[in-house]
Amino acid sequence: MDSLWDGNHTAVTGFILLGLTDDPVLKVILFMIILCIYLVTVSGNLSIIILISISPQLHHPMYFFLSQLAFADICLSTTVTPNMLENFLVEGIPISYHGCCTQLGSAAVFGTVECFLLAIMAYDRFVAICSPLLYSTKMTTQVCVQFLIVAYIAGFVNACSFTISIYFLFFCGLNRVNHFFCDFAPLVELSCSENSIPVVVPSFTCGSIIVFTVFVIIFSYMYILITILKMRSKEGRRKAFSTCTAHLTAVSLYFGTLTFIYVMPKSNYSTEQNKVVSVFYMVVIPMLNPIIYSLRNNDIKGALKRVLLKKIIA
């Protein structure tokens, strides 16, 4: 049952996700591509988590947050990818109303956690480069755990704003969502509610989170840049820049797509463009993060070589 009759309206109790395409050949191709991406995402991020946990030289705040970012990447991708792969194979599989809200809420939690983790990692680099003598006192284990708790609290608050708003919307019969997951904007388009408050609240919370985390990142890197330019040693400048390049690449990719999806006016792009960018944000970026940090971080590469060498010798 996808709907219930209630007076003069048909109240929707489930949705059908239309996915990325109707072309059966393209569906098979996309299934293979996205399945490979998902397998690389899970294996790559799990490898980062395991490598950091077994390598004493990586037991530092920066890598603690990197392991948490890898965990959030796995969870964010897992929120939408298995369901999307299933829809490639079997058309018209319904998702329940509560299941849809759960998927949206889970995506909001881990998407927000990623925003905060990237901001925290920028602050970590700021302290390490601008106040190296105070780093061990400012970035203690207790402080790192507190930062992580704040990130998850913000994630749950943001998720609640989305899911509660969905429960306040009323759907009058139409249940075909033009997306590959239960995103907020397509659900609002289906709604026949006239009250705008459920739409404004999530936009405000999401916008506030993006503005706050971007401000922290910009503020941190402004001071980092000033500090690096004051360094007399070219080697010191090079080393300082090298510790930031991987993070800056990840920040640019993540917040660039977030800005396109949630900040730019909807009239500037089509639903199909939105779906493509959403795939990049929720499926591709979680795969790219471990690759970016592995290729651009000497500590990660060094730890990986030592682990592989031990395996070969053993």
Side-chain angles (χ1 to χ4, degrees):
M1 282 285 288
D2 291 332
S3 60
L4 293 173
W5 185 259
D6 180 24
N8 296 323
H9 298 285
T10 305
V12 171
T13 59
F15 299 96
I16 294 173
L17 301 174
L18 298 182
L20 292 174
T21 181
D22 293 327
D23 188 331
V25 176
L26 192 55
K27 278 185 176 182
V28 174
I29 296 170
L30 287 173
F31 173 83
M32 298 303 296
I33 293 171
I34 291 175
L35 177 61
C36 291
I37 289 173
Y38 181 62
L39 292 175
V40 172
T41 298
V42 174
S43 58
N45 283 292
L46 273 177
S47 298
I48 290 286
I49 293 169
I50 294 168
L51 182 65
I52 290 171
S53 65
I54 65 174
S55 303
Q57 65 271 25
L58 298 181
H59 291 175
H60 298 291
M62 175 182 174
Y63 299 108
F64 167 75
F65 292 123
L66 178 57
S67 67
Q68 295 301 320
L69 182 68
F71 174 74
D73 277 332
I74 293 172
C75 294
L76 181 63
S77 184
T78 302
T79 298
V80 300
T81 308
N83 186 248
M84 178 166 51
L85 292 172
E86 185 182 21
N87 285 334
F88 282 137
L89 298 178
V90 184
E91 191 175 344
I93 298 176
I95 180 170
S96 70
Y97 189 89
H98 299 297
C100 198
C101 292
T102 301
Q103 187 183 56
L104 175 62
S106 300
V109 168
F110 294 109
T112 304
V113 168
E114 288 217 21
C115 284
F116 271 82
L117 284 173
L118 289 171
I120 292 165
M121 291 168 78
Y123 174 76
D124 173 78
R125 292 299 83 208
F126 159 72
V127 177
I129 293 171
C130 300
S131 306
L133 298 178
L134 299 175
Y135 184 76
S136 59
T137 56
K138 283 189 174 183
M139 297 301 291
T140 61
T141 302
Q142 184 180 3
V143 170
C144 292
V145 172
Q146 287 172 348
F147 277 146
L148 185 62
I149 290 170
V150 168
Y152 274 95
I153 289 173
F156 281 109
V157 169
N158 194 31
C160 287
S161 74
F162 277 98
T163 52
I164 292 171
S165 295
I166 290 297
Y167 280 115
F168 273 99
L169 296 176
F170 193 78
F171 299 90
C172 310
L174 293 174
N175 69 337
R176 300 176 72 83
V177 181
N178 189 16
H179 218 296
F180 62 88
F181 82 106
C182 291
D183 199 7
F184 187 67
L187 290 171
V188 170
E189 288 178 11
L190 284 181
S191 169
C192 55
S193 300
E194 295 181 0
N195 190 354
S196 62
I197 293 176
V199 179
V200 172
V201 172
S203 300
F204 175 78
T205 55
C206 189
S208 300
I209 287 165
I210 293 173
V211 168
F212 173 74
T213 51
V214 168
F215 174 79
V216 171
I217 291 167
I218 291 173
F219 176 85
S220 298
Y221 274 106
M222 277 177 58
Y223 276 88
I224 287 170
L225 183 62
I226 291 168
T227 303
I228 289 174
L229 291 176
K230 287 180 180 178
M231 291 179 180
R232 295 179 181 179
S233 167
K234 287 185 178 180
E235 180 62 23
R237 286 184 185 179
R238 189 196 63 77
K239 192 173 285 187
F241 270 123
S242 68
T243 63
C244 299
T245 51
H247 180 256
L248 277 172
T249 305
V251 165
S252 301
L253 287 171
Y254 192 77
F255 282 96
T257 53
L258 270 186
T259 301
F260 185 93
I261 296 169
Y262 295 110
V263 178
M264 283 180 61
K266 298 292 184 285
S267 58
N268 287 8
Y269 57 89
S270 67
T271 304
E272 297 307 313
Q273 288 174 315
N274 179 276
K275 285 196 273 188
V276 170
V277 176
S278 295
V279 169
F280 191 76
Y281 155 61
M282 305 194 76
V283 179
V284 178
I285 288 179
M287 176 197 69
L288 292 177
N289 279 342
I291 297 172
I292 291 167
Y293 282 101
S294 299
L295 293 177
R296 291 181 170 269
N297 190 292
N298 291 327
D299 291 337
I300 293 285
K301 286 190 284 188
L304 184 60
K305 286 177 184 177
R306 280 186 284 271
V307 170
L308 292 176
L309 191 61
K310 283 182 182 179
K311 290 283 184 182
I312 294 168
I313 295 171

